[in-house]
Amino acid sequence: MERPDWKERWAGLFFVAPFLLLFALFMLWPIVSGLWNSFFNTSLAGVKHEFLGLQNWQDLFGDPAVWSSLKNTLVFTAMSTPPLVIVALAMALLANRKGLLGWLLRFSYFAPFVLPATVVTLIWVWIYQPGFGLVNGLLTAGGFAEIDWLNTENRAMLAVVITTVWWTVGFNFLLYLAALQGIPAQIYEAAAIDGAGGRQQLFRITLPLLRRTTGLIVVLQLVASLKIFDQIYLMTDGGPNYATRPIIQYIYETGFTSYRIGYASAISYLFFAIIVIVALAQFKLFSGREETA
Amino acid sequence: MTTTTMPTARRSAEPTTGPAGGGPSKPRWTFAGTASAVGAVILAVVWLVPLLWALDTSLKPEPETTRTPITWFPQAPTTDAYRSVIDQGDLIRWFLNSTIVSILVTVLTLFVSVLAAYGLSRTTFPGGACCTG
């Protein structure tokens, strides 16, 4: 006996409802309200709210701070992404071994990733100190001149990149390691029987089969690097002389120091568009011509 | 996590020969194998140095932490830093705060996503097909 029970038809929706509610409240609403605010001079200071049309958007294109901070974000991304992918791959190849050594290697490479940004930056600000810092201590011991890493314009970004690679490479390493362990041992056996040496197995089997993982890691890393804020804010506060200030810090300062929420929303949307373009371009580049693993 | 166990050359009738680049390997001495092990250990040491330096600094008395030239081994090791954190800080409160946030976030996330996953994958409702491809 079939009964068209509306409860049955809609029961599934009740399971999804809590998620939908939170998603709408904390994702959709801020996205819509951000776009809406970008057309107003919305302020946190509680002054009246006027419609500006495209004024914020016009201001944005003429604001040198937008472009210089955007440039810093892009420079950071360009500097940090290659080592974060290549070092992670090298680590995974090196640590993919059995026994105590394998365990110790995996522990060492992954350990920094579990630390919070505040602890990481505390350790590294200390390491970069002039005089008694570890890096400068080693430089002077080796007869080199000391560098005031975090207060020199063209060194500060490099210092942040080094810290970031040390801190976050463990995650990419883990993805690569999982992919490596997913390659069936029979393929290597067959290759060995056919006379392929270690080097040939690496270049003809391992690396080609990691292509898909590399694509994923590059996309995730580009997006993560573009969102740079924590380390720079904590280590240099965007300095010296704004040389490391990333776009997100400028958005933050505009919104929460200058209280210009409308303008900050417009810059956020510009940045959002850039991230979407980068992510789409990457997915297009890496999908399609794939060998399946 | 799958990282704690390494794949063994399982179900293979014969023992495999030669270490593969990144593949499972039988211990057999080769130059490349040794070089990669040495390189791996050097990299691991480089990665551990900042953590060890922080540990090292935490055991130095205050004046020694800023002394030049730098030293690796504290001349007068002390646990003063740990004592003052425990004595002066409100450690219990801080840990309690972190614990409360962690537990609530985990429980709420699990609750909401398990319900949503079940609803989307095990039941059908008008519009439900949108998110399950």
Side-chain angles (χ1 to χ4, degrees):
Chain A
M1 195 56 199
E2 199 181 308
R3 47 194 181 110
D5 189 356
W6 70 272
K7 274 185 190 163
E8 208 140 291
R9 251 171 71 72
W10 289 92
L13 193 61
F14 288 99
F15 287 111
V16 186
F19 169 77
L20 284 182
L21 186 73
L22 291 176
F23 184 73
L25 201 63
F26 294 111
M27 286 290 288
L28 298 181
W29 170 245
I31 288 173
V32 172
S33 111
L35 186 61
W36 178 259
N37 282 333
S38 74
F39 300 110
F40 291 84
N41 66 348
T42 318
S43 165
L44 276 186
V47 292
K48 71 176 172 20
H49 194 101
E50 291 169 315
F51 182 69
L52 293 180
L54 290 173
Q55 188 62 48
N56 280 332
W57 294 83
Q58 270 172 11
D59 287 356
L60 175 165
F61 285 100
D63 181 352
V66 168
W67 301 106
S68 73
S69 57
L70 186 60
K71 192 202 83 188
N72 291 336
T73 291
L74 295 178
V75 166
F76 174 83
T77 305
M79 283 172 77
S80 63
T81 304
L84 277 166
V85 176
I86 294 165
V87 174
L89 174 60
M91 283 177 164
L93 291 172
L94 291 172
N96 189 18
R97 62 179 79 226
K98 283 172 275 185
L100 182 66
L101 181 60
W103 187 88
L104 280 174
L105 292 174
R106 293 196 294 277
F107 171 83
S108 316
Y109 299 157
F110 191 71
F113 188 72
V114 305
L115 300 177
T118 43
V119 173
V120 168
T121 51
L122 197 70
I123 292 176
W124 280 88
V125 166
W126 195 250
I127 286 177
Y128 286 131
Q129 287 293 332
F132 56 85
L134 181 61
V135 174
N136 283 317
L138 293 177
L139 283 179
T140 44
F144 296 97
E146 210 172 78
I147 298 168
D148 188 358
W149 291 88
L150 296 174
N151 292 310
T152 311
E153 280 194 28
N154 48 18
R155 289 280 183 269
M157 190 62 95
L158 178 64
V160 174
V161 168
I162 291 171
T163 301
T164 306
V165 172
W166 179 80
W167 179 30
T168 62
V169 77
F171 182 68
N172 295 348
F173 158 70
L174 208 62
L175 292 180
Y176 266 129
L177 195 64
L180 274 181
Q181 297 184 349
I183 301 177
Q186 293 95 310
I187 300 181
Y188 291 106
E189 289 167 30
I193 289 167
D194 288 343
R199 177 198 293 261
Q200 278 170 312
Q201 291 185 18
L202 173 65
F203 285 100
R204 299 292 174 82
I205 298 175
T206 309
L207 295 183
L209 287 178
L210 288 179
R211 264 188 63 95
R212 186 186 287 273
T213 308
T214 302
L216 175 75
I217 289 177
V218 169
V219 173
L220 291 179
Q221 189 54 58
L222 280 172
V223 173
S225 283
L226 285 169
K227 294 197 299 188
I228 176 66
F229 171 73
D230 310 17
Q231 303 95 293
I232 293 182
Y233 188 69
L234 290 165
M235 290 175 78
T236 68
D237 194 11
N241 192 23
Y242 302 120
T244 58
R245 180 172 66 180
I247 184 90
I248 293 191
Q249 190 183 338
Y250 185 57
I251 292 170
Y252 172 77
E253 286 168 0
T254 307
F256 298 102
T257 310
S258 315
Y259 301 136
R260 298 179 64 192
I261 293 293
Y263 188 42
S265 300
I267 307 173
S268 303
Y269 259 86
L270 171 79
F271 184 50
F272 176 58
I274 291 171
I275 290 192
V276 168
I277 290 169
V278 168
L280 286 181
Q282 279 297 320
F283 273 122
K284 252 197 139 44
L285 220 64
F286 276 94
S287 64
R289 43 190 186 124
E290 277 300 338
E291 302 105 293
T292 45
Chain B
M1 284 277 113
T2 56
T3 54
T4 50
T5 54
M6 298 294 290
T8 49
R10 55 191 175 270
R11 276 179 281 121
S12 59
E14 292 171 69
T16 54
T17 55
S25 58
K26 279 270 164 183
R28 197 190 63 157
W29 197 91
T30 57
F31 176 73
T34 311
S36 82
V38 171
V41 170
I42 292 174
L43 196 58
V45 170
V46 170
W47 244 250
L48 286 178
V49 158
L51 293 177
L52 295 175
W53 183 247
L55 178 68
D56 180 56
T57 306
S58 76
L59 295 172
K60 288 175 178 172
E62 203 73 39
E64 216 182 301
T65 56
T66 53
R67 186 184 298 166
T68 55
I70 59 165
T71 51
W72 264 100
F73 296 101
Q75 271 141 33
T78 166
T79 53
D80 283 355
Y82 292 91
R83 277 176 216 281
S84 70
V85 167
I86 291 167
D87 289 349
Q88 294 162 23
D90 203 351
L91 264 189
I92 295 176
R93 180 74 235 177
W94 300 334
F95 272 111
L96 194 64
N97 289 342
S98 292
T99 310
I100 291 171
V101 171
S102 313
I103 291 176
L104 284 181
V105 167
T106 308
V107 168
L108 287 176
T109 308
L110 266 180
F111 178 74
V112 170
S113 25
V114 165
L115 277 185
Y118 180 80
L120 287 172
S121 61
R122 286 284 183 267
T123 65
T124 50
F125 56 90
C130 70
C131 321
T132 47

